[in-house]
Amino acid sequence: MNLNLSKSIKQASVSYREDIAYEVNKEFLDFTGYNYHDIIGKTFRELIELLRADVQIKFNDDQQEYNCYIFTNNDQVKNVKITQKILIKENKREYVIEENMSSLLKGVLSTCGKNSKESTAIISYPELIHLKINENYEMNSALIDMNQDKPLGKKFLYPDYIVDNIKNESSCYKEELEFIDNSGKVTYWTINSVMIFEEGRAKYLRCSFFDETEKVMAKRLIEIQKREMEIVLENIPDSIIKLNNQGEYTYLNKSSLEKLSNYNLGDKPLNIREIYNLFKCNDINGNEVSYHNSPETRVLRGEEIKSFILIGTSHLPTTYHQCTGIPIYDEGGNIESAVLIYKDIEKNLKLEEYNSLVENIKYLDVKYAILSRDFKIKYVNENGFKAIKVSNSNINALVELIGRKFFDFYNVNTEEEMQLIEYIEEAIKNNCSYKHKQRFIEGEKVKYVKSIFQPVFDKNNKVKEINVIGMDITEEEDINKKMSDALISQEEIFINTSHELKTPLNLIFSASQLISIYLKSESIENKKLEIIRNNKIVTQNCYRLIKLVNNILDVSKIEEGFYELNLENRNIISDIENIVESVAKYIENMELNIIFDSSVEEKIMAFDVYKLERVILNLISNAIKFSNLNGIIMVNVIDRDEYIEISVSDNGIGIDKEHCDIIFNKFKQVNKSLNRKVEGTGIGLCLVKSIVELHNGKISVDSNLGMGSTFKIELPITIVDEPLNNQEEYSHNNRVEMIKFELSDIYS
Ligand code: ADP
């Protein structure tokens, strides 16, 4: 059966006569994939070429055999044995092709599969014929110096880099070889040529190459980036450290090494425990940061740290760092290391301080400007701008001032400017500031500004710029003025009171001396009148002293706010009338007339009778003092419904208009030398005005020099709910006593 079958299988053959193929069997055509006309008429050499078999084949003898590779019409390689049969009788030659079934070829060929990334060729050995290539091979081989058109069946032109390996029948693996094509394009390839053995003999070469350009480029890029990163890390001003999970330093960049080298730690610090033992650190709240709560330990515990501020306090100057740290995990999820970055924020803090300073200066309640050495404006703050704008309405925006001459806006004329610059230059020479005060009118107010010109020196002691600070000192000036007025007025008190004290004291002293002389004399009776007269002088001058002291005390009480009214609802008409009557009796020996008149008989209203009496007596006392002989003093009361008007007028020496306002001020006397014929302290009208104002009333004077004066008081008519009756009943005797005090300086 088998025999039959083998017999029935016809061998693929082609027949030749005169070296021309004239017959080919179906098996041959099936095996090679060609058709009848492809074969018929071809010489044997042509047939060999068609089949891309070894061109060296040369047949001489009958039954001669050749083992070789042929390629079918569809590029399949076959390992075949070709046998020549010479049939002399039939005058023909027959070539029989048999496939070598024992060959490894099929298996080897199957390794040349479709792999889009790999360019592969199976090459016979030692013939080095391309037996199979994948689709990338032909195209890509051009890029690696193996350019070959339709390489299948052709010789493998092995490149230099594998030549030795091939000769030695060994495999070779070259990684990332660089190739540059004609256009200058650079590509990288990994070449793998594997020698395959059959029955102990090198039989095939499997040559494959991969385009590694992308990978190499990526690797190169990473390397470049890595190198760049290393450069950055080494040159970055921030300190970067890496610790292993034992807290030991595994990397310290240049900056961190430099920083640590300042502290003489020997070669290199070993671990963070050592560092925290050596240095004291605080957090931003002043709490100590020890090894256990250090950023490093926290990161090694798995915490991510962001912007933690660490303040080094062991050394001077104090260091300020902002720390950021992340833990690094290994594949198993365990903390493998920690990376920490320390940013020195001292400058930032200073910058922040500086910025806030600049911001504060901008809106500072002083005028501030920075001038160049030649007094041109470099900077001016809001307040300075506003001040300049007041007298320079053409300036609209702050920037318009920059670069302009400062003194053009300083309200000085050319001469003053030159003088000022001279002073400032002198101050600069002496390394100090120059202070300048200016007085000017703003609206209707007098204003004072003090400007300080402060030179700022650079490292070389050259004037870099000049700072100008302008301060409104109007308030201080006003206070100073008040103070100096107060001093003058105190001086006046002193002058007035010393005179006023001295005169009655002298009088008392000499009268008492006289009295003692009279008392010692043998005939006291004869001296009685003298004694009485001198005693009267003593009493009179005691009244004067008491009045003076009382007035001074009352004025200071009023100034301190301790002076209170005891308001009662009383008939003001009769009270004033009684005063006038009592005074009239008191001065009946003087050649003066005093007249009282009123529009109403009675007016009940609230007032402090004791204090009002002092007011009226004061005015009458002045009227007497400044009246001429036979003068007339009028006291009038008019009910004006809303208020009671009391006027005290005389036809005495009068007051000139310009002094009418000031006489109500403390210690103001008009023309002292003129007045010295009468006594006085200049305190009476001040007290009168204060008492009237305490009653919510007003006082004014109408006077002409030489024509007499009229003092007018307006007291609002009010009633108190619960009159204060704790005041002792105001009696005639009280009044007489009071008159003695109030008129005490008339009899001097
Ligand atoms: P003095 O104790 O000096 O009288 P006053 O305050 O009572 O102080 O008066 C202040 C000054 O006002 C007097 O010194 C005087 O110059 C002027 N004066 C006050 N009343 C009159 C008046 N009736 N006629 C003229 N001058 C007067």
Side-chain angles (χ1 to χ4, degrees):
M1 188 72 175
N2 278 344
L3 196 73
N4 284 342
L5 190 67
S6 70
K7 270 188 181 168
S8 68
I9 296 171
K10 267 179 109 180
Q11 288 177 316
S13 66
V14 57
S15 302
Y16 273 80
R17 186 169 288 153
E18 307 284 310
D19 199 25
I20 297 290
Y22 74 95
E23 195 178 81
V24 59
N25 68 6
K26 185 177 176 294
E27 284 73 17
F28 189 94
L29 296 175
D30 287 347
F31 186 67
T32 61
Y34 291 100
N35 60 41
Y36 180 80
H37 297 289
D38 293 331
I39 309 293
I40 298 303
K42 284 209 161 50
T43 63
F44 181 67
R45 184 86 353 240
E46 283 168 346
L47 179 70
I48 291 301
E49 269 171 31
L50 181 73
L51 296 176
R52 292 171 271 174
D54 186 352
V55 284
Q56 302 302 320
I57 296 176
K58 254 190 185 165
F59 283 102
N60 294 317
D61 305 326
D62 184 27
Q63 297 303 322
Q64 193 180 345
E65 293 171 1
Y66 260 107
N67 256 314
C68 67
Y69 298 101
I70 64 158
F71 293 86
T72 65
N73 196 18
N74 60 356
D75 289 341
Q76 296 281 314
V77 66
K78 305 234 165 155
N79 185 209
V80 294
K81 180 177 85 186
I82 304 175
T83 312
Q84 176 178 246
K85 291 182 181 172
I86 302 172
L87 304 165
I88 299 169
K89 260 196 218 160
E90 292 166 42
N91 188 25
K92 70 172 183 181
R93 277 181 291 153
E94 207 176 69
Y95 294 98
V96 177
I97 295 180
E98 277 172 288
E99 190 167 9
N100 184 359
M101 297 308 278
S102 67
S103 166
L104 265 183
L105 182 65
K106 266 200 176 148
V108 174
L109 291 180
S110 70
T111 66
C112 181
K114 281 186 188 169
N115 181 332
S116 58
K117 285 189 178 164
E118 197 180 33
S119 304
T120 316
I122 305 293
I123 293 145
S124 67
Y125 192 85
E127 304 87 355
L128 299 178
I129 299 290
H130 283 100
L131 301 180
K132 189 175 179 185
I133 57 171
N134 76 354
E135 46 191 28
N136 299 328
Y137 182 83
E138 189 177 345
M139 181 180 66
N140 288 338
S141 59
L143 297 169
I144 56 166
D145 297 346
M146 294 197 295
N147 199 1
Q148 213 166 22
D149 196 21
K150 298 207 183 329
L152 209 59
K154 291 187 188 152
K155 214 146 184 176
F156 174 62
L157 305 172
Y158 46 77
D160 290 349
Y161 46 85
I162 48 173
V163 73
D164 287 340
N165 298 73
I166 290 172
K167 280 183 184 160
N168 297 335
E169 297 184 355
S170 59
S171 300
C172 122
Y173 182 79
K174 301 272 181 191
E175 245 181 332
E176 294 164 14
L177 290 174
E178 184 186 88
F179 294 94
I180 303 170
D181 73 2
N182 295 338
S183 69
K185 187 180 168 193
V186 181
T187 49
Y188 295 88
W189 297 87
T190 289
I191 315 283
N192 191 9
S193 83
V194 181
M195 202 49 107
I196 300 167
F197 289 81
E198 193 178 309
E199 292 171 359
R201 277 179 44 230
K203 195 80 198 278
Y204 306 104
L205 187 67
R206 185 182 184 279
C207 185
S208 60
F209 43 96
F210 305 86
D211 185 349
E212 303 272 43
T213 312
E214 257 179 51
K215 191 175 128 195
V216 172
M217 289 298 187
K219 248 165 75 179
R220 292 249 166 122
L221 193 69
I222 288 169
E223 255 166 41
I224 290 168
Q225 284 172 344
K226 202 178 145 205
R227 266 206 305 280
E228 280 173 358
M229 188 56 85
E230 273 165 9
I231 293 168
V232 171
L233 287 180
E234 284 309 296
N235 292 292
I236 205 165
D238 297 347
S239 301
I240 298 171
I241 60 168
K242 196 171 169 204
L243 302 163
N244 64 16
N245 54 16
Q246 301 304 306
E248 291 160 347
Y249 291 100
T250 53
Y251 173 76
L252 287 150
N253 75 342
K254 203 166 132 203
S255 162
S256 54
L257 278 172
E258 270 169 14
K259 286 230 159 119
L260 289 168
S261 71
N262 293 339
Y263 304 121
N264 300 325
L265 292 170
D267 273 0
K268 202 169 150 188
L270 298 172
N271 58 43
I272 47 162
R273 191 186 282 273
E274 192 187 356
I275 292 289
Y276 281 93
N277 281 344
L278 283 170
F279 301 121
K280 262 182 95 77
C281 296
N282 285 342
D283 66 11
I284 192 85
N285 301 316
N287 301 321
E288 193 183 335
V289 176
S290 65
Y291 163 72
H292 294 286
N293 60 353
S294 67
E296 286 82 353
T297 314
R298 284 164 55 196
V299 174
L300 284 175
R301 273 193 228 117
E303 197 180 326
E304 270 191 26
I305 291 201
K306 273 186 197 142
S307 309
F308 176 81
I309 293 182
L310 192 72
I311 302 168
T313 56
S314 340
H315 295 81
L316 278 175
T318 308
T319 59
Y320 298 88
H321 286 97
Q322 191 178 52
C323 172
T324 303
I326 48 160
I328 309 244
Y329 294 90
D330 65 13
E331 281 162 8
N334 303 311
I335 292 173
E336 180 231 343
S337 57
V339 174
L340 288 103
I341 303 165
Y342 279 94
K343 188 179 170 66
D344 189 339
I345 55 165
E346 196 190 330
K347 278 193 191 119
N348 297 21
L349 290 177
K350 280 192 176 152
L351 194 70
E352 239 172 66
E353 253 174 50
Y354 174 78
N355 285 341
S356 92
L357 194 73
V358 167
E359 197 58 20
N360 285 341
I361 283 174
K362 197 168 163 193
Y363 300 108
L364 205 64
D365 198 19
V366 294
K367 296 147 195 62
Y368 178 72
I370 301 174
L371 311 184
S372 58
R373 183 63 183 85
D374 53 353
F375 301 103
K376 285 191 182 136
I377 299 172
K378 281 170 83 175
Y379 170 82
V380 62
N381 76 346
E382 290 289 328
N383 254 306
F385 167 64
K386 274 188 211 154
I388 288 173
K389 206 171 154 40
V390 169
S391 42
N392 298 275
S393 51
N394 56 326
I395 300 288
N396 296 314
L398 198 146
V399 284
E400 290 174 33
L401 294 172
I402 308 302
R404 308 270 296 267
K405 263 178 72 190
F406 176 73
F407 290 113
D408 288 352
F409 305 100
Y410 192 65
N411 295 330
V412 280
N413 60 32
T414 325
E415 211 174 295
E416 288 166 330
E417 179 186 326
M418 276 163 63
Q419 178 76 72
L420 197 56
I421 291 177
E422 205 175 293
Y423 287 143
I424 297 170
E425 292 294 352
E426 188 63 29
I428 290 174
K429 252 190 236 160
N430 297 325
N431 222 339
C432 59
S433 64
Y434 176 71
K435 298 177 190 72
H436 180 246
K437 193 165 98 180
Q438 263 186 318
R439 177 184 184 277
F440 58 93
I441 311 286
E442 196 183 288
E444 283 180 1
K445 285 187 192 150
V446 179
K447 290 256 175 177
Y448 294 90
V449 168
K450 182 176 181 179
S451 302
I452 303 171
F453 294 84
Q454 175 74 58
V456 181
F457 297 91
D458 66 10
K459 275 187 218 150
N460 307 319
N461 223 19
K462 271 192 147 188
V463 179
K464 198 168 78 169
E465 55 201 17
I466 297 152
N467 284 352
V468 190
I469 300 167
M471 283 173 293
D472 186 339
I473 51 160
T474 313
E475 216 172 294
E476 288 85 334
E477 283 292 305
D478 288 349
I479 290 169
N480 282 350
K481 174 125 191 2
K482 276 188 193 145
M483 291 263 285
S484 74
D485 285 354
L487 278 176
I488 292 166
S489 119
Q490 268 185 11
E491 212 174 305
E492 281 176 345
I493 297 181
F494 185 71
I495 294 162
N496 283 304
T497 51
S498 54
H499 174 79
E500 283 301 301
L501 286 168
K502 228 169 96 186
T503 317
L505 277 175
N506 279 342
L507 290 168
I508 290 168
F509 188 59
S510 41
S512 82
Q513 272 181 325
L514 276 173
I515 290 170
S516 46
I517 293 168
Y518 296 141
L519 289 175
K520 276 178 199 160
S521 75
E522 281 161 21
S523 53
I524 300 175
E525 267 313 302
N526 294 343
K527 302 290 177 195
K528 196 176 171 185
L529 277 177
E530 288 299 311
I531 292 172
I532 291 171
R533 198 177 67 80
N534 280 293
N535 190 46
K536 215 174 147 193
I537 293 173
V538 171
T539 316
Q540 170 76 15
N541 284 290
C542 282
Y543 280 129
R544 276 180 72 185
L545 287 175
I546 293 168
K547 177 190 172 182
L548 177 64
V549 172
N550 276 349
N551 279 355
I552 292 173
L553 281 177
D554 285 350
V555 166
S556 37
K557 266 192 201 165
I558 288 169
E559 279 175 357
E560 303 282 319
F562 296 132
Y563 201 70
E564 282 178 4
L565 295 181
N566 285 309
L567 295 176
E568 287 176 84
N569 297 328
R570 295 174 65 102
N571 180 3
I572 193 166
I573 312 291
S574 59
D575 275 335
I576 296 174
E577 192 175 3
N578 289 339
I579 298 166
V580 178
E581 258 177 32
S582 306
V583 174
K585 270 189 203 149
Y586 194 75
I587 59 161
E588 59 194 355
N589 296 334
M590 294 172 83
E591 286 170 40
L592 279 171
N593 295 305
I594 183 158
I595 302 162
F596 171 79
D597 193 14
S598 172
S599 67
V600 285
E601 287 280 306
E602 185 185 86
K603 190 75 204 175
I604 306 288
M605 59 182 274
F607 59 96
D608 183 327
V609 62
Y610 170 75
K611 290 180 181 104
L612 184 70
E613 194 157 323
R614 288 187 69 184
V615 168
I616 306 294
L617 285 175
N618 236 300
L619 295 179
I620 295 175
S621 159
N622 279 346
I624 296 169
K625 273 199 284 185
F626 301 106
S627 279
N628 302 314
L629 272 184
N630 298 316
I632 300 168
I633 296 162
M634 302 271 294
V635 178
N636 272 329
V637 183
I638 305 169
D639 183 359
R640 301 267 188 210
D641 291 341
E642 296 275 293
Y643 58 92
I644 281 286
E645 183 183 296
I646 307 160
S647 61
V648 178
S649 24
D650 63 71
N651 54 355
I653 64 166
I655 309 161
D656 74 47
K657 285 273 175 242
E658 65 179 285
H659 289 116
C660 281
D661 283 342
I662 61 157
I663 52 170
F664 294 104
N665 295 347
K666 215 169 22 168
F667 303 113
K668 286 290 178 237
Q669 290 174 317
V670 181
N671 195 341
K672 284 185 185 161
S673 57
L674 250 179
N675 288 344
R676 283 274 73 97
K677 65 175 183 179
V678 288
E679 301 298 335
T681 52
I683 205 169
L685 283 179
C686 170
L687 192 63
V688 164
K689 188 172 183 240
S690 301
I691 294 173
V692 170
E693 283 173 355
L694 278 173
H695 281 87
N696 296 320
K698 288 194 282 193
I699 184 163
S700 58
V701 60
D702 185 13
S703 182
N704 282 314
L705 210 55
M707 309 276 286
S709 317
T710 298
F711 286 84
K712 198 190 286 172
I713 293 170
E714 291 172 14
L715 285 185
I717 299 167
T718 54
I719 296 287
V720 283
D721 287 344
E722 285 171 34
L724 296 169
N725 285 324
N726 52 356
Q727 188 154 1
E728 59 186 88
E729 186 53 30
Y730 197 69
S731 66
H732 175 72
N733 290 345
N734 293 135
R735 187 172 302 120
V736 172
E737 252 330 84
M738 175 92 88
I739 291 170
K740 284 180 185 165
F741 286 129
E742 293 299 336
L743 273 55
S744 55
D745 42 2
I746 291 169
Y747 282 97
S748 56

